[in-house]
Amino acid sequence: MKSLLTRLAGILALTVLAACGATPKAESPPQIVPGYEGVQDGEFFIAPVEARFLGAGVPREEVAYAGDEGAGTIVIDTYSRRLYYITAPGQAWRYTVGIGREGTALRAGGSIGRKAEWPSWTPTANMLRKYPELYGPYAGGRAGGLESPLGSRALYLYRGKRDTYYRIHGTIDDASIGRASSAGCVRLFNQDAIHLFNQVDPGTRVKVRSYEESLALEGPWMDDIHGNAVPDTQENRTALEAALAEQAARQAASAAAAPTGT
């Protein structure tokens, strides 16, 4: 009996040691989308863009272009939240952008007055007046770098010799790309901002499409449940209605479960 107990104790000990020495299951590495890898840019390291922000149609792409603007023009479509840089007749790079929240989106074009790498940022007087709680703490500005809202690069929009205070720039908030959430400027992923910056010279014309032009060239667009621009199709409308119904049901269930006062 003693021998049997001794053998069982030995087996148990070996089992415990084996468990302690087991190699933990390795986590799958995050998916990296080509073109959006991490980038060492001078003294700053730009983190890779998470794949969840790079769904279908979002990554930059060289596409056929149907507009009549000439090569070397930047075209901004705030309705589909796309920016085109035309490289040749009928050909362009297409980027997904974030734009200004309702009432602040860029409405008129101009030209690129200057460019900057890792630009500093200071909120405008209008931003401080409209949103003092949001921008007040940064009234003194932010130095260029990973904490600057202008990200890795900025193209400054001028009309004539006058700075409009609108920028085409990188971002520290990848989730904002494809949404209408900025103070008015046009945002790109930092990797896209660098890609565009390297092609554009000061003096480049910038055109902003009208709604009628956008509708003719891009078709109708709408916001999904997350605020991202998507084509206005029956499928996307059905998905939005289902998501809103689910959201309402969760809110109702949460309210019903909340304790009530006596």
Side-chain angles (χ1 to χ4, degrees):
M1 183 67 178
K2 183 177 180 181
S3 176
L4 178 60
L5 291 174
T6 302
R7 289 175 60 194
L8 288 173
I11 293 170
L12 180 60
L14 287 172
T15 303
V16 171
L17 287 172
C20 291
T23 302
K25 186 177 180 181
E27 293 184 5
S28 299
Q31 183 183 356
I32 302 299
V33 176
Y36 295 91
E37 303 89 350
V39 179
Q40 186 67 45
D41 188 65
E43 63 180 293
F44 302 110
F45 178 74
I46 301 169
V49 178
E50 295 180 41
R52 63 194 176 101
F53 299 131
L54 293 163
V58 174
R60 67 176 177 268
E61 184 179 6
E62 205 164 9
V63 297
Y65 184 74
D68 57 7
E69 295 82 13
T73 304
I74 292 173
V75 177
I76 299 168
D77 190 318
T78 61
Y79 302 96
S80 65
R81 293 169 204 161
R82 290 175 166 179
L83 181 150
Y84 294 90
Y85 179 69
I86 303 166
T87 55
Q91 199 167 14
W93 278 102
R94 184 184 69 200
Y95 307 83
T96 302
V97 298
I99 63 165
R101 62 183 69 90
E102 186 175 357
T104 67
L106 182 63
R107 296 180 180 275
S111 63
I112 301 303
R114 68 183 184 94
K115 328 164 39 174
E117 299 184 21
W118 294 104
S120 60
W121 170 80
T122 303
T124 65
N126 190 48
M127 291 163 70
L128 291 168
R129 184 175 62 254
K130 284 188 172 182
Y131 308 103
E133 293 183 0
L134 180 61
Y135 296 113
Y138 309 106
R142 278 286 182 95
L146 296 173
E147 299 300 320
S148 169
L150 295 187
S152 61
R153 300 290 189 273
L155 304 171
Y156 294 74
L157 185 63
Y158 278 57
R159 295 193 187 110
K161 295 183 178 181
R162 183 176 62 85
D163 187 353
T164 65
Y165 295 100
Y166 282 100
R167 318 284 186 239
I168 301 170
H169 62 84
T171 184
I172 56 176
D173 182 12
D174 288 344
S176 69
I177 301 302
R179 301 181 181 181
S181 59
S182 80
C185 293
V186 177
R187 299 176 176 178
L188 302 98
F189 295 116
N190 279 320
Q191 288 84 342
D192 284 346
I194 293 172
H195 187 270
L196 177 63
F197 183 96
N198 290 340
Q199 300 179 79
V200 170
D201 295 319
T204 294
R205 180 192 172 208
V206 179
K207 174 181 176 176
V208 180
R209 283 178 178 168
S210 67
Y211 175 70
E212 290 73 22
E213 289 172 320
S214 175
L215 195 61
L217 292 166
E218 305 286 343
W221 286 66
M222 57 178 277
D223 282 1
D224 67 10
I225 190 68
H226 305 294
N228 293 303
V230 294
D232 188 351
T233 63
Q234 185 57 53
E235 180 182 2
N236 284 335
R237 284 191 171 274
T238 300
L240 177 61
E241 289 170 3
L244 289 172
E246 182 181 350
Q247 185 181 74
R250 286 199 305 268
Q251 291 173 345
S254 178
T260 56
T262 55

